Amino acid sequence: MKLRSCFISSQTRLPKSFILLLLLLFWLNLLGAQSSSEIYKQLKKLNLLGSVLYLAAHPDDENTRVISYFSNHVLARTAYLSMTRGDGGQNLIGAELQEALGLIRTQELLAARKIDGGMQFFTMANDFGYSKNPEETLSIWDKDQVLMQTIACIQKFKPDIIINRFNSDSSGRTHGHHTASAMISEWAFEQLHADPTAWHPKRLFHNTSWYFYGTRENFEKANKQGMLAIDMSVFDPLSGQTNSEIAALSRSQHKSQGFGSAAALGKRMEYLKLVKGKELTRNDPFDCIDTQWTRVKGGAPIGKAIEKIIDDFDFSAPYKSVVPLLEVKSMITELKDDHWKSIKIEEVDSLILNCLGMDLQFNANMPYGVLGEDLQIKVLINNHSPLNVSLKQIKYEDKLHDLNQPLQANVLFNKNFNTKVSGAISSPYWLIQKGSQGMYTTEKTEWIGAAKSPAPYLAELSFSIEGKKLKIGLPLQYRRTDPVRGEVVTPFHILPQAGLELEAPVILFAPNQSQKVKVSVKNLGPSLSGTLKLETPKSWELSPKSIQVDITSKGNQSDFYFNIKAPLEAAVGYLKPILQTPTTKIQASLREIAYNHIPKQYLVSPAQSKVVALNLKKGVEKVAYIEGAGDNIPQSLSAVGVDVEILKAKDITLKKLNPFDAVITGIRAFNIEESLAYKNKILWEYASTGGNLLIQYNTTRRLKTKQLAPLSLNLSRDRVSDESAYVQIINPKHPILSHPNNITAQDFDGWVQERGLYFPNQWDEQFIPLLQMNDTGESPKKGALLVANYGKGRVVYTGLSFFRQLPAGVPGAYRLFFNLIARP
């Protein structure tokens, strides 16, 4: 059986863009000052030819202890293949969701890999939200595409062993994405082995633990034949860290998920259960796999030469290893094995620069530019070694500059160039085109698998080092000095000439209501002029028809207003701003994503806002919103004229809360706010004296207190992940379903991603359940919405995912939410 896929064999000619992408990813990982101990470890890694691919479904699924162990202790090439970018999860550090959250989590994975030494790959599968079984997952993902992309990744990376985080027989016991990732991995392994021309990984393991056996006791009793037990708490004297410390630092980069970790002390056993492949004869996953240079024809002398460099390495003068490394490079270039030849040439080039102590920078004079804008770029090089080094050429944008510039020890080379911004708009390649619910898509098929798009500018620097040639690629970056953080380095971006932004992602109208709608235009280039129009749905009225725009100075923003009148009947549609300039039509919005732990990102997407005309009665004027994990509900309430005051849990007092018509706790507030362990009593007192308290969902994990309401309730992991699941109103005469809006089954039409999550499964008899729902094949769940009178007031606990529905402009969700917070 011969596989038909986008395999890249050793004979395939790689596209130039893909080669540049690989070079960029390599140098971004390895460039930077290296200590002698780090260089020494790189030398030892140069002498090992083994690869490990870890595979799971989401950012945070990877076991950083295992990745770090293989990368830093075994010294194998190690990578993590994540099926998705985690777009469907929640965000504990901000309000970004979906694609914007996926960008954050992609960068957090890259930050984690920078610490644990792994590489990072993805398929184009979209994290569409929680899935209860792999059958649903694989019906929404394009199973064949994800499988072939997984196979292609294995073909390119060529791992000796694959390690799955999950197992394929866990359907119904964990996230459907988890089980599906293991199933896909096993299918890929089988199909590769069925093709004699394909790469054959030697073994497939499951990184198992007591979790997969239900209890620690069950795991202790389990048959462990075919299972490796490895202590991964090893100490590295070169870095002065245990593997557990490195792994904890890596996992702590998943800040949007609240996964800050501390290093575990003592033994930390990890178990690898053989799933497929050659049986083991000893407690070593590489058992009977040649990981030395002898695996490559003609490689044995190279291994001996590297051993001598390691033995002779001078920690006080690493540059002494440069000449023998240049000789090793010449030997590697003679190899017939293109796979290991390209990998080891990249490694040896990095080692040579690190041994020289070479500082390299390719800097822009601004963080972003627009097409045609003047751009000043600067190349800075500092050689710290006494060796004979010269810069022969600098090449960028097909412009070649011959220099033949000697680089004397610690004498800075500084060269400026003037050019014009050219190229494609910087945007994540998987977001350029509209995908489906389960899959992203791209015309740049050669980029599939990569963590991010290549840099828009890449300089190729050619050196002569003791008479030998060396070329490297440098991405263009922008550097600034922050008074608190110090030097901040961000990638240079190419952006549209302007960014268009409506004042809210969803704008609500009453039928026949007129509103002024603000369109903000940000000039991203030197100057901007054009005609601004606003496309509206049919039956919506607009004036004026267009507005002239003239904005000078880069970064300036102006606001423009249109009068919009909704139709007489309830309706849903989209407003789309368009700016026509003399040279182009601009329809893009620009979202800046900036956090200290990851590089700044720009999300360029079509500019539009959802407009909804609905019969909405509010019954409330002023509410307090106690911050939780971060969501956009306060903005959604403000958009319909409610006065929302955002409070921190630690600052609440009864006196502060009493003036509000309702008090709302943000999602996961009881998971992240330490002060709610004692401040919750103030919430109960507020309700008992006549207040209206709405508590939104919390998870069972890391609760700061078990008292989530003044009346007892017990959280479960019950959820309804099908956003179209039938909702039965089991208490239709309850006043909260009729005041101020009459709630019917139609109000649950058009919900997005899910119905709700982490429903209580037990509660005090004073709580009245109002709704019943379930996913297909499951028992009915009644804990989605619980209401109780408490003293003179009311307490509502809900697991319904209003944090997704309100920002998405779901009319029925708005109507129900206002019933929950309206004055009784």
Side-chain angles (χ1 to χ4, degrees):
M1 174 184 176
K2 186 171 182 178
L3 298 175
R4 294 180 180 178
S5 71
C6 48
F7 291 160
I8 295 181
S9 70
S10 59
Q11 289 78 35
T12 303
R13 184 177 177 83
L14 293 173
K16 182 179 179 183
S17 57
F18 187 74
I19 294 171
L20 289 175
L21 179 58
L22 290 180
L23 283 171
L24 168 64
L25 294 174
F26 178 80
W27 287 111
L28 282 178
N29 261 347
L30 297 182
L31 282 177
Q34 300 282 312
S35 68
S36 290
S37 60
E38 289 170 319
I39 295 170
Y40 185 75
K41 182 179 278 191
Q42 276 186 290
L43 279 169
K44 294 180 76 68
K45 195 160 191 167
L46 183 64
N47 222 17
L48 190 128
L49 284 70
S51 300
V52 179
L53 181 66
Y54 201 90
L55 189 149
H58 310 108
D60 90 342
D61 284 344
E62 83 276 24
N63 187 334
T64 55
R65 190 158 42 241
V66 174
I67 291 174
S68 178
Y69 174 82
F70 280 103
S71 176
N72 294 297
H73 180 69
V74 178
L75 301 178
R77 289 176 70 241
T78 309
Y80 175 42
L81 172 58
S82 178
M83 297 285 112
T84 75
R85 296 175 186 266
D87 320 65
Q90 282 117 62
N91 185 358
L92 299 187
I93 59 173
E96 295 89 352
L97 292 173
Q98 297 177 318
E99 290 88 354
L101 178 58
L103 278 181
I104 292 171
R105 292 190 173 177
T106 295
Q107 290 297 323
E108 288 178 338
L109 277 174
L110 290 173
R113 298 295 80 79
K114 192 171 183 179
I115 290 169
D116 61 35
M119 300 169 69
Q120 184 62 51
F121 303 118
F122 294 93
T123 75
M124 297 287 277
N126 186 8
D127 178 5
F128 55 82
Y130 191 84
S131 177
K132 291 187 174 178
N133 58 70
E135 292 76 25
E136 180 198 42
T137 297
L138 295 172
S139 70
I140 295 175
W141 289 353
D142 186 320
K143 180 181 73 173
D144 291 337
Q145 270 198 56
V146 178
L147 174 59
M148 298 315 291
Q149 289 166 12
T150 300
I151 290 172
C153 179
I154 294 170
Q155 282 283 79
K156 293 173 188 175
F157 187 68
K158 293 183 168 48
D160 296 302
I161 61 175
I162 298 172
I163 303 174
N164 292 343
R165 168 77 278 193
F166 303 101
N167 59 356
S168 59
D169 60 356
S170 59
S171 181
R173 290 185 284 120
T174 184
H175 198 317
H177 296 180
H178 294 167
T179 309
S181 72
M183 293 167 66
I184 287 168
S185 179
E186 291 183 21
W187 294 336
F189 189 93
E190 291 167 357
Q191 290 197 29
L192 285 162
H193 277 264
D195 181 359
T197 67
W199 173 256
H200 295 166
K202 304 302 185 294
R203 294 187 179 95
L204 174 67
F205 293 98
H206 169 217
N207 181 197
T208 192
S209 68
W210 69 264
Y211 170 84
F212 296 95
Y213 290 78
T215 66
R216 296 182 189 276
E217 184 180 7
N218 288 345
F219 186 58
E220 287 176 7
K221 295 177 181 177
N223 179 5
K224 296 186 174 59
Q225 185 176 356
M227 192 183 298
L228 302 181
I230 304 173
D231 180 6
M232 294 192 175
S233 62
V234 290
F235 176 72
D236 178 13
L238 291 175
S239 66
Q241 294 175 300
T242 65
N243 189 61
S244 295
E245 288 175 312
I246 298 170
L249 287 171
S250 173
R251 187 155 185 80
S252 295
Q253 301 311 301
H254 293 298
K255 299 184 189 303
S256 66
Q257 304 190 66
F259 282 151
S261 300
L265 300 179
K267 279 190 175 182
R268 298 299 294 181
M269 302 302 295
E270 289 290 343
Y271 297 88
L272 303 180
K273 182 179 181 179
L274 184 65
V275 178
K276 293 183 182 294
K278 191 174 181 180
E279 293 296 325
L280 295 153
T281 62
R282 55 196 175 98
N283 197 56
D284 178 5
F286 283 102
D287 178 33
C288 297
I289 300 172
D290 187 358
T291 59
Q292 304 304 307
W293 276 98
T294 48
R295 79 180 294 171
V296 177
K297 186 177 180 180
I302 298 173
K304 291 178 181 178
I306 296 171
E307 281 293 345
K308 187 171 188 322
I309 297 172
I310 293 171
D311 291 341
D312 295 343
F313 184 71
D314 186 340
F315 281 81
S316 64
Y319 69 85
K320 293 178 181 178
S321 296
V322 168
V323 172
L325 280 169
L326 288 166
E327 293 169 356
V328 164
K329 181 179 177 180
S330 297
M331 297 169 70
I332 295 173
T333 58
E334 298 299 320
L335 293 175
K336 303 295 184 186
D337 186 318
D338 288 341
H339 174 69
W340 283 110
K341 178 165 68 174
S342 63
I343 290 167
K344 293 303 178 180
I345 284 176
E346 288 174 349
E347 289 184 14
V348 80
D349 282 350
S350 173
L351 271 164
I352 290 167
L353 290 175
N354 289 333
C355 288
L356 291 169
M358 188 88 81
D359 295 318
L360 300 163
Q361 293 183 12
F362 183 38
N363 298 332
N365 66 322
M366 54 189 178
Y368 61 82
V370 305
L371 297 180
E373 186 176 5
D374 291 334
L375 174 65
Q376 296 174 9
I377 56 181
K378 180 184 292 188
V379 175
L380 297 170
I381 304 174
N382 198 27
N383 167 35
H384 290 282
S385 80
L387 298 185
N388 181 19
V389 181
S390 63
L391 176 64
K392 307 300 286 185
Q393 293 178 334
I394 297 176
K395 182 181 178 181
Y396 66 93
E397 289 186 307
D398 296 325
K399 297 177 179 131
L400 186 62
H401 301 271
D402 288 316
L403 297 168
N404 293 317
Q405 174 68 47
L407 299 175
Q408 297 176 3
N410 207 31
V411 176
L412 179 65
F413 170 82
N414 185 336
K415 184 73 174 178
N416 294 307
F417 302 95
N418 294 317
T419 187
K420 299 277 188 184
V421 176
S422 63
I425 300 297
S426 300
S427 189
Y429 69 87
W430 62 96
L431 297 179
I432 294 173
Q433 295 170 250
K434 184 175 176 58
S436 64
Q437 180 188 8
M439 296 296 296
Y440 289 118
T441 188
T442 180
E443 293 177 351
K444 302 287 188 180
T445 54
E446 70 272 22
W447 294 355
I448 292 175
K452 56 185 179 180
S453 302
Y457 281 83
L458 191 68
E460 184 182 87
L461 277 58
S462 299
F463 295 93
S464 172
I465 303 170
E466 294 295 332
K468 302 285 187 178
K469 295 179 181 178
L470 184 145
K471 288 184 180 181
I472 68 158
L474 282 180
L476 187 61
Q477 298 176 317
Y478 172 71
R479 295 169 184 265
R480 67 181 179 88
T481 302
D482 182 274
V484 175
R485 298 167 61 196
E487 185 178 57
V488 178
V489 183
T490 56
F492 176 80
H493 291 81
I494 299 177
L495 299 181
Q497 193 175 351
L500 312 179
E501 200 70 42
L502 285 143
E503 56 188 309
V506 177
I507 305 173
L508 275 71
F509 291 72
N512 206 37
Q513 179 192 6
S514 294
Q515 284 190 51
K516 276 188 173 181
V517 172
K518 180 175 72 176
V519 180
S520 299
V521 181
K522 184 174 183 178
N523 173 34
L524 301 173
S527 63
L528 179 70
S529 63
T531 303
L532 181 65
K533 296 182 179 181
L534 190 60
E535 184 181 297
T536 64
K538 290 181 181 179
S539 74
W540 294 68
E541 298 178 15
L542 169 74
S543 67
K545 297 297 183 184
S546 64
I547 300 174
Q548 182 61 33
V549 172
D550 290 289
I551 306 175
T552 58
S553 298
K554 189 181 184 78
N556 279 359
Q557 179 175 301
S558 295
D559 298 331
F560 304 90
Y561 293 87
F562 292 88
N563 293 307
I564 308 288
K565 186 176 182 182
L568 294 171
E569 304 295 331
V572 176
Y574 288 91
L575 300 178
K576 299 179 181 180
I578 301 169
L579 180 62
Q580 182 66 60
T581 74
T583 58
T584 188
K585 181 189 287 187
I586 301 171
Q587 297 176 279
S589 72
L590 181 70
R591 186 171 187 179
E592 184 178 302
I593 301 172
Y595 291 96
N596 288 349
H597 67 298
I598 57 175
K600 183 181 290 185
Q601 305 292 300
Y602 294 97
L603 178 55
V604 180
S605 57
Q608 64 178 28
S609 284
K610 190 175 186 179
V611 283
V612 181
L614 78 158
N615 292 305
L616 175 66
K617 296 174 183 175
K618 291 178 284 191
V620 65
E621 293 179 0
K622 187 175 183 181
V623 303
Y625 201 87
I626 298 173
E627 286 184 312
D631 58 63
N632 284 318
I633 288 181
Q635 296 89 323
S636 300
L637 301 181
S638 297
V640 293
V642 176
D643 183 1
V644 182
E645 185 171 339
I646 298 177
L647 302 176
K648 293 187 180 298
K650 64 183 179 64
D651 297 330
I652 63 172
T653 63
L654 184 61
K655 184 177 180 180
K656 280 186 178 180
L657 297 184
N658 276 335
F660 293 102
D661 299 329
V663 172
I664 307 166
T665 64
I667 63 172
R668 297 195 183 192
F670 287 85
N671 293 109
I672 67 170
E673 290 296 331
E674 299 278 355
S675 56
L676 283 179
Y678 58 93
K679 287 282 189 175
N680 54 359
K681 307 298 189 301
I682 295 172
L683 297 177
W684 315 159
E685 190 174 356
Y686 162 79
S688 69
T689 55
N692 190 12
L693 175 63
L694 171 60
I695 304 167
Q696 296 186 86
Y697 97 95
N698 295 273
T699 75
T700 54
R701 186 171 179 266
R702 293 182 180 174
L703 283 167
K704 304 305 179 186
T705 174
K706 292 184 179 180
Q707 290 185 297
L708 308 181
L711 303 169
S712 65
L713 55 77
N714 180 70
L715 292 186
S716 73
R717 297 188 67 83
D718 289 348
R719 63 197 302 159
V720 177
S721 58
D722 181 357
E723 65 271 24
S724 61
Y726 173 68
V727 177
Q728 180 184 351
I729 299 176
I730 57 178
N731 207 318
K733 293 185 179 180
H734 194 285
I736 206 169
L737 296 176
S738 59
H739 172 76
N741 303 290
N742 185 39
I743 302 301
T744 68
Q746 284 69 43
D747 287 300
F748 296 94
D749 292 342
W751 283 47
V752 298
Q753 187 159 321
E754 63 196 353
R755 290 295 190 196
L757 61 173
Y758 298 103
F759 299 160
N761 59 359
Q762 296 177 23
W763 48 82
D764 188 281
E765 62 182 12
Q766 293 184 64
F767 275 119
I768 300 174
L770 301 183
L771 306 175
Q772 177 174 292
M773 62 191 74
N774 58 273
D775 283 320
T776 302
E778 294 188 355
S779 61
K781 308 293 187 294
K782 295 184 178 181
L785 181 57
L786 304 174
V787 181
N789 293 325
Y790 184 71
K792 297 179 181 179
R794 183 173 71 193
V795 176
V796 178
Y797 189 96
T798 182
L800 293 171
S801 59
F802 287 110
F803 73 102
R804 297 196 191 279
Q805 312 311 321
L806 299 195
V810 178
Y814 269 94
R815 288 161 47 81
L816 177 58
F817 194 87
F818 274 99
N819 279 28
L820 304 184
I821 62 173
R823 292 184 297 272

